[in-house]
Amino acid sequence: MDTSLVDLTGTLVAAILTLFVFSYLLGDNVLYRLAEHLFVGATVGYITVVVFHTVISSKLLIPLVAHCYLASRC
């Protein structure tokens, strides 16, 4: 995929979501709630991945696998 096409797609999605959020000025509606749910979902997904890589993976899984590998048994 061409880089300019990816940039254009991202810009269009951002502009459309911005208009959805601004539609709240007309009152609570479906477009605003859709944008809100997308934002919350993306945030929760990002936080989940960050916590997995910084806490679970580095402080639990890697030491556990290293211990099993060095002890030759689990």
Side-chain angles (χ1 to χ4, degrees):
M1 208 175 204
D2 191 18
T3 306
S4 61
L5 182 60
V6 173
D7 290 339
L8 178 64
T9 304
T11 302
L12 286 175
V13 168
I16 290 170
L17 286 175
T18 301
L19 291 175
F20 285 2
V21 170
F22 281 142
S23 73
Y24 183 72
L25 296 173
L26 301 174
D28 193 20
N29 57 36
V30 176
L31 297 177
Y32 172 74
R33 284 184 285 179
L34 175 67
E36 184 180 28
H37 285 89
L38 286 173
F39 178 71
V40 170
T43 303
V44 168
Y46 178 77
I47 289 172
T48 302
V49 169
V50 168
V51 166
F52 178 79
H53 283 291
T54 58
V55 176
I56 296 173
S57 178
S58 65
K59 297 189 189 229
L60 178 67
L61 295 178
I62 292 174
L64 183 63
V65 170
H67 175 71
C68 289
Y69 179 72
L70 293 175
S72 298
R73 59 185 158 83
C74 290

